[in-house]
């Protein structure tokens, strides 16, 4: 790209199934930290789409291929509405993370559905997608991918922490960017809130009234993943195999499960960010005020909250940046983060 200003749409669907996050953003070429989010919106999933995406982990290979196309058409339609509603006329490309269905990098597997070909057809725009597969083929975790954005957009912070389906962190250590998944967050909290008919625990109010189950907390904190060295990443499969059976065998009361798991999240995060006064925290978990209070308590810090737009749309913003870097054939995937054999420029470009 030779021009000074770059206009892109970034799209992200997280594991917690809150919805499809879209941002229309302007970057200044080679001065990416001077970005501007012009429009941003979250499109909620219908109950049917939520159920389908939750069940997709069990689908056959052929069924997943079909779902990739159908979901790509859905994303294309959502994007077309976004472009029309905001009367967007200048678009250099769309960068789509898609939705993660499978993530087992140790087995060489990662799958984000949402066909870029279908999105390009429907929107008549250039599309960059499938950002994780190449990294896994190069021996990496394929995650997290956001740290290159932390490096280029938010380097003034000691730590960049995201609280989504999972919590992940990125920071500079000995001149290298280090990043990894810390623990599950909303993927677990929402699962148990769903059991009592709620989409999520608003403000953590139910968790705040529950009893702390110290036996469960101890077992959660001693799971083997937490002693592994980075690079490391988590997926839904791990939660279903390690977290849900452990909780269900020990505690039945939903409020107590939520209370205990909030403490677990705060303890795991505090190990990383303890005593730092320069932490950028984003993601839907920021709006869980009880969780934030517990993170402050365990970490011995005072959190300064970012703007709601940045909290909600940082990941979609950074996938737009990953698209900029891919199209320019610049590095957008760091071996120090993912454990791949080399730094590389990841993603697949589809033309309309």
């Amino acid at each position: 790209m030779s021009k000074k200003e770059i206009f892109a749409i970034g799209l992200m669907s997280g594991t917690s199934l809150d919805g499809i996050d879209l941002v229309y953003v302007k970057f200044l070429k080679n001065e990416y930290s001077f970005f501007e989010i012009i429009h941003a919106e979250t499109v909620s999933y219908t109950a049917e789409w939520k159920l389908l995406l939750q069940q997709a982990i069990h689908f056959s290979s052929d069924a997943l291929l079909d779902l990739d196309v159908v979901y790509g058409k859905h994303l294309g339609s959502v994007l077309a509405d976004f472009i029309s509603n905001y009367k967007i006329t200048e678009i250099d490309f769309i960068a789509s993370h898609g939705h993660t269905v499978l993530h087992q990098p140790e087995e060489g597997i990662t799958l984000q559905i949402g066909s870029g070909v279908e999105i390009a057809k429907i929107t008549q725009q250039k599309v960059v997608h499938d950002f994780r597969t190449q990294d896994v083929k190069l021996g990496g975790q394929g995650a997290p991918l956001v740290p290159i954005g932390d490096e280029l957009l938010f380097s003034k912070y000691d730590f960049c922490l995201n609280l989504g389906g999972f919590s992940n962190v990125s920071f500079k250590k000995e001149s290298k960017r280090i990043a990894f998944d810390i623990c599950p967050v909303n993927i677990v909290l929402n699962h148990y809130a769903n059991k009592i008919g709620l989409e999520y625990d608003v403000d953590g109010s139910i968790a705040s009234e529950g009893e702390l189950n110290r036996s469960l907390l101890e077992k959660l904190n001693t799971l083997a993943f937490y002693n592994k060295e980075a690079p490391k990443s988590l997926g839904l499969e791990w939660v279903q195999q390690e977290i849900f059976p452990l909780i269900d065998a020990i505690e039945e009361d939903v409020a107590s499960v939520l209370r205990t798991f909030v403490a677990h999240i705060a303890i795991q995060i505090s190990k990383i960010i303890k005593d730092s006064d320069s932490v950028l925290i984003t993601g839907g978990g920021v709006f869980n005020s009880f969780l934030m209070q517990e993170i402050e308590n365990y970490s011995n810090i005072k959190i300064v909250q970012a703007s709601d737009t940045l909290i909600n749309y940082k990941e979609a913003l950074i996938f737009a940046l990953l698209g900029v870097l891919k199209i320019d054939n610049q590095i957008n995937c760091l071996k120090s983060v993912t454990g791949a054999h080399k730094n590389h420029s990841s993603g697949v470009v589809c033309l309309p």
Side-chain angles (χ1 to χ4, degrees), residues 230-259:
K232 58 182 181 176
S233 60
L234 290 167
L236 175 60
E237 300 95 320
W238 184 83
V239 173
Q240 291 179 337
Q241 291 164 12
E242 300 284 343
I243 298 289
F244 293 155
L246 176 58
I247 292 173
D248 294 343
I250 296 175
E251 181 60 74
E252 294 182 355
D253 178 64
V254 168
S256 297
V257 168
L258 294 173
R259 172 70 185 86

Side-chain angles (χ1 to χ4, degrees), residues 248-320:
D248 294 343
I250 296 175
E251 181 60 74
E252 294 182 355
D253 178 64
V254 168
S256 297
V257 168
L258 294 173
R259 172 70 185 86
T260 305
F261 206 80
V262 163
H264 170 62
I265 295 164
I267 288 167
Q268 294 306 320
I269 288 172
S270 72
K271 291 178 184 178
I272 314 299
I273 65 170
K274 193 171 180 62
D275 297 326
S276 173
D277 60 357
S278 179
V279 184
L280 173 64
I281 306 185
T282 57
V286 174
F287 300 110
N288 183 327
S289 52
F290 180 64
L291 172 60
M292 295 298 283
Q293 174 188 314
E294 290 290 275
I295 291 172
E296 286 189 333
N297 289 344
Y298 281 102
S299 303
N300 193 33
I301 63 173
K302 179 64 182 169
I303 295 166
V304 179
Q305 192 156 313
S307 70
D308 283 2
T309 301
L310 191 56
I311 289 168
N312 286 322
Y313 297 103
K314 176 174 173 261
E315 287 192 291
L317 162 70
I318 290 181
F319 275 97

Side-chain angles (χ1 to χ4, degrees), residues 109-180:
I109 297 168
T110 189
L111 174 65
Q112 288 70 45
I113 59 169
S115 166
V117 171
E118 296 299 329
I119 296 171
K121 273 186 202 170
I122 291 170
T123 61
Q124 286 299 294
Q125 300 292 336
K126 182 188 294 183
V127 173
V128 191
H129 73 123
D130 194 11
F131 287 97
R132 299 189 189 272
T133 301
Q134 178 174 295
D135 190 76
V136 171
K137 286 180 178 175
L138 288 169
Q141 291 281 308
L145 296 185
V146 166
I148 188 72
D150 295 338
E151 181 79 18
L152 296 175
L153 305 183
F154 305 108
S155 59
K156 68 180 182 180
Y157 294 95
D158 290 344
F159 296 94
C160 290
L161 176 69
N162 184 68
L163 304 177
F166 298 92
S167 61
N168 49 65
V169 69
S170 142
F171 54 93
K172 206 75 172 276
K173 184 178 181 181
E174 296 171 358
S175 79
K176 286 183 179 177
R177 178 62 59 170
I178 305 295
F180 50 89

Side-chain angles (χ1 to χ4, degrees), residues 29-49:
K29 187 171 174 63
N30 299 326
E31 298 177 49
Y32 301 127
S33 58
F34 293 96
F35 66 86
E36 179 188 356
I37 295 176
I38 302 169
H39 301 298
E41 183 180 347
T42 298
V43 178
S44 297
Y45 284 115
T46 62
E48 291 78 12
W49 267 116

Side-chain angles (χ1 to χ4, degrees), residues 128 131 322-330 332 345-349:
V128 191
F131 287 97
L322 293 178
V324 173
L325 297 173
K326 171 61 183 176
I327 289 171
D328 256 0
N329 201 30
Q330 296 184 54
N332 65 6
S345 187
S346 192
V348 175
V349 179

Side-chain angles (χ1 to χ4, degrees), residues 59-117:
F59 285 11
S60 67
S61 297
D62 287 345
L64 284 174
L65 287 172
D66 291 342
L67 182 60
D68 179 52
V69 172
V70 173
Y71 184 65
K73 289 178 178 177
H74 178 60
L75 294 182
S77 175
V78 166
L79 281 156
D81 288 344
F82 180 73
I83 292 165
S84 172
N85 292 344
Y86 289 103
K87 299 179 173 57
I88 298 169
T89 56
E90 190 167 6
I91 306 171
D92 290 299
F93 65 87
I94 293 167
S96 173
H97 170 269
H99 186 83
T100 298
V101 172
L102 302 171
H103 187 67
Q104 298 171 329
E106 291 80 8
E107 307 294 325
I109 297 168
T110 189
L111 174 65
Q112 288 70 45
I113 59 169
S115 166
V117 171

